[in-house]
Amino acid sequence: MPALRIALAQVNACVGDLPGNAALAVRWCQRAAESGADVVLLPEMLLTGYPVEDLALRESFQQASRRELDALPARLVEAGCAERLVVVGYLDADEAGPRNAAALIHRGAVVGRYFKHYLPNYGVFDEFRYFRPGNTLPVVRLGGLDLGVVICEDIWQDGGPVAALGEAGVDLLLCLNGSPYERAKDDTRGALVARRAREAGAPMAYVNLVGAQDELVFDGDSMVVDARGELLARAPQFVEHLLCAELDLPGGAWQRQGSRETVPGFELRRIDLDADGDGVGRERAPGAVPAMAEPLPDEAEVWGALVTGLCDYVHKNSFRSVVLGLSGGIDSAVVAALAVDALGADSVYGVSMPSDYSSEHSRDDAAELAKRTGLHFSVQPIAGMVGVFVEQLGLTGLAEENVQARCRGVVLMALSNADGHLVLATGNKTELAVGYSTIYGDAVGGFAPIKDVPKTLVWQLARWRNEQADRRGETPPIPPSSITKPPSAELRPDQLDSDSLPDYELLDEVLDHYVEADRGVCDLIDAGYEPALAEQIIRMVDHAEFKRRQYPPGTKISFKAFGRDRRLPITNAWREHCP
Amino acid sequence: MPALRIALAQVNACVGDLPGNAALAVRWCQRAAESGADVVLLPEMLLTGYPVEDLALRESFQQASRRELDALPARLVEAGCAERLVVVGYLDADEAGPRNAAALIHRGAVVGRYFKHYLPNYGVFDEFRYFRPGNTLPVVRLGGLDLGVVICEDIWQDGGPVAALGEAGVDLLLCLNGSPYERAKDDTRGALVARRAREAGAPMAYVNLVGAQDELVFDGDSMVVDARGELLARAPQFVEHLLCAELDLPGGAWQRQGSRETVPGFELRRIDLDADGDGVGRERAPGAVPAMAEPLPDEAEVWGALVTGLCDYVHKNSFRSVVLGLSGGIDSAVVAALAVDALGADSVYGVSMPSDYSSEHSRDDAAELAKRTGLHFSVQPIAGMVGVFVEQLGLTGLAEENVQARCRGVVLMALSNADGHLVLATGNKTELAVGYSTIYGDAVGGFAPIKDVPKTLVWQLARWRNEQADRRGETPPIPPSSITKPPSAELRPDQLDSDSLPDYELLDEVLDHYVEADRGVCDLIDAGYEPALAEQIIRMVDHAEFKRRQYPPGTKISFKAFGRDRRLPITNAWREHCP
């Protein structure tokens, strides 16, 4: 039974940084070679980063990607990886346009290419905009084993290249991924990989990107399953990792009974790397025990995603520090705690900006948060600024309330201009959904870390993060009173969120139906919600579309984040009603 | 030779307003029937408005669209349109998902349905996200004539249903469109319609929506061409219009030599409306001479598009008035003139917000603009507000400059909150491209009318609009000195745009290459631009992506507007360079 040592490089690429990503590929291949791997698998579109969006359509970028790929085989030889089969994702292009591609590299040459067959064009994905689907199926013979390659969406759809490879007979499926994080997606993904392995009758090695790109976080979660779908190895989420596994495989899948020489709809290409050499089976030290990372509990996973999203946005965009307003409330406290975890306290600047309506406990809680986390803290009262606007323009009511939030926005942006900080917006998903925020006020910022976190989950994360600290014997970062006090925007005397909004538990439930599941008002009423309440919430969501369009980007953690996941017109006369 | 009277209803639908759009359809069918039309053609997705974006995926909306369509045949009978063949665009849906569809209605029943075959998924379009392509080809026999239906993109691609209908033999092609305006697109469109008519060997009736939806303007430009591609009738752009034409057609295309009973890839469905009646040829008054609108000159067309875009955004979103800052410069002057043309002077509020750095001529030009246009004018000096921020925060340099722009933003938003005006942002495309604006400052607004107008075109439009006024004996709206003076942001003493930016003529040329044509820096250098200049401009464009994401929507007039047309990552390490 031939044994194959396989290494999955779960790495953090940066969109557009072709030389940096190529160097990353070489470095990790070298590590894999040193650990005796026969096959090194790198993620989808690694050389360009993913997703590159309209860069895929630019000829200069396509050419640069091709050049980087063309130079890679020689660099891998130099790095001592000549005898390894390296499979790496890149952007291909010819006169007919770009392709989402994987190159198979061996002994200084590209020996085969695979082009993604199923192109996702839903949710955050627009791959029909960019790519043509591929229909070639390279099957590589290495060490007497037949290996097939597929890319990401190819395993999310029934049939297609996975089924075709199953029919052709393969000993191992290699799957390259750029699969963005969503809450609990790792469960779905694991089950899916297992199912496809069983369907194809072959083990699957699944490698995913790690790190963040704008609103998307890639959580890694790379894994190897056997032909029965049993998990053999699993990488930890949110960190770069070389996942190694040694597989004893039957071999000769191609020649096995029932294997077919052709499969309808695909062009099978057999590539025999054993023909001119000895393939695998070289002398090597015994492999380490493969990693078997435990899946993270829900809050830890979400926290990991949010930290990764913020950290990579800041660093990949060359910022060194962030500034945010600290109101004493739960949202800014959680964002501050995230920022400290992502960047270190010394890179985080918190500003308390009390107005005449700010309560004493708000000021105290903001100061207390600063003390607990060690972030830089300053106080800038806004009464002076607000006063000039209110008096000169004769403002009252909502106009007066909003001027307070907008003066705070001007202060934060001024500090950003003066000191180079990235401003963080502290709004949560619930607020964004119902428009409970001031545009150009508390909504200012270059990044909005908890934009996709519903209010009830904000509280849950705060409690969890404090408990974690307790468990480790550290100071819990978030002042307990920020968690327990009733939420208020404090833009007028004795204001409470509950004056304008339903109870948050109920609100988040309804939003989950309307936003995430796209259910209509009748479904909500059928599910038992009070018609007037359901209609009120839906109206608020519809009416706030214009605000969401101008909101900063922020990390997606849900099935349907506001933004590319949910594309609705602003001008929209549709009103949900029961016929 | 059978004669057919056809009416094309070029109408303004509103996205989501199903009852309103259905009423619109009935009203225009009635007008068409009164003018003796045998066939009434309504635009793509008329019943829902277009594009509906993710509403297409919501079950409650799909059902409402189906219900509205199901009710339409009876309403058409009531309205006296029973004997007409009405073809109308709507959103269809079954268990397999939504479709971009056209219904053929006759004598109180839907007698056939066509589903769009080619789904555009480039530029602003995401139709693969929503629809499945159709492959049925209904061909309707009416008055001895065979009529085929296609939808929009179906004529922009070679082959497909147009070729199939040509092979099957039709006497007339009916084409429903939701084709957004782009500068000079009417020329392309006219040539295309003529070419497809010749290819199919049949005349084509082409009806398009008119009016605006968020960033898109539909310019109408409906037309009828004969089988040789000669223009028979053409509707004026940017207004609702019933375009009528009487066509003498050979008839019996289906039975003509060379016609085929089946065409590969499509399911031909023959619908014989003559079988149970007398079809066309009823008694009727002679038709009026068909309209033959002259294409508009470039500036008039762009102005028409911008007025339509602004007018519909304001009214369809239920605003009654707009407010904007008047700096005395050309951008705000042109936006004010547009607003007055779109909404009337009484709905436009201009605010001069001088700072310590504002020149005397700026204040005078703003007042002069107000006098010329008759808009509501007020002055709100910002020195008091700016002073508090600058002193309290100790601001200098860029931070001090930006605070001025942001205080103006706060003033405009406060007036909006107080009086219900929609705030207009006055930035142009050049500014937006290179990031020469202050986020949350001059960039605030619910709508940005000249967002897609390059600076050089802003000047050109200003001159043209003033000349138009002169020609009509009216007061030219824009103060001549706003057109002739060197542009300045006036955020520090003696500041000029030319301190920070290349000459605008040159800048707009380079932006045209880089943004519109997606050319790389090497192409620009090959085209003769100075390498350092080309690189500097490209850097500015790349670096300003984050600002564009938070910019208000505005009317698309170019081939590639910022927004859905051009989707680039913010986090993007790609730097154009010559290898």
Side-chain angles (χ1 to χ4, degrees), chain A residues 13 112 161 173 201 204 209 259 272 289 354 371 378 495 549:
Chain A
L173 286 163
M204 185 184 288
L209 285 167
S259 295
D272 191 349
V289 177
K371 215 177 92 192
S378 62
Q495 185 180 32
R549 291 296 180 90

Side-chain angles (χ1 to χ4, degrees), chain A residues 426-447:
Chain A
T426 60
N428 61 64
K429 190 177 195 176
T430 308
E431 213 172 272
L432 201 62
V434 296
Y436 198 68
S437 69
T438 303
I439 188 169
Y440 320 127
D442 50 304
V444 309
F447 198 73

Side-chain angles (χ1 to χ4, degrees), chain A residues 60 123 129 214 570-571 576, chain B residues 60 123 129 214 567 570-571 576:
Chain A
S60 58
R129 182 176 172 90
D214 286 350
I570 299 177
T571 305
E576 283 287 336
Chain B
S60 58
R129 181 177 175 89
D214 286 350
R567 306 178 189 180
I570 299 176
T571 305
E576 283 286 337

Side-chain angles (χ1 to χ4, degrees), chain B residues 502-540:
Chain B
D503 170 74
Y504 275 114
E505 289 285 343
L506 184 60
L507 180 54
D508 279 353
E509 262 184 50
V510 172
L511 291 174
D512 200 53
H513 286 290
Y514 184 57
V515 176
E516 297 266 320
D518 217 11
R519 292 203 179 93
V521 73
C522 300
D523 297 322
L524 268 73
I525 294 168
D526 287 348
Y529 296 100
E530 215 250 298
L533 176 84
E535 276 170 24
Q536 180 208 350
I537 294 172
I538 287 175
R539 289 280 178 289
M540 286 194 288

Side-chain angles (χ1 to χ4, degrees), chain A residues 117-118 154-165 196 199 266:
Chain A
H117 180 75
Y118 286 117
D154 292 333
I155 66 165
W156 289 83
Q157 306 293 331
D158 288 325
V162 177
L165 287 169
R196 294 297 174 220
E199 282 172 11
F266 290 92

Side-chain angles (χ1 to χ4, degrees), chain B residues 281-309:
Chain B
R282 70 185 63 78
E283 293 279 318
R284 57 191 172 189
V289 177
M292 184 63 88
E294 279 302 303
L296 295 169
D298 185 38
E299 291 97 341
E301 196 186 77
V302 172
W303 195 267
L306 296 174
V307 165
T308 303

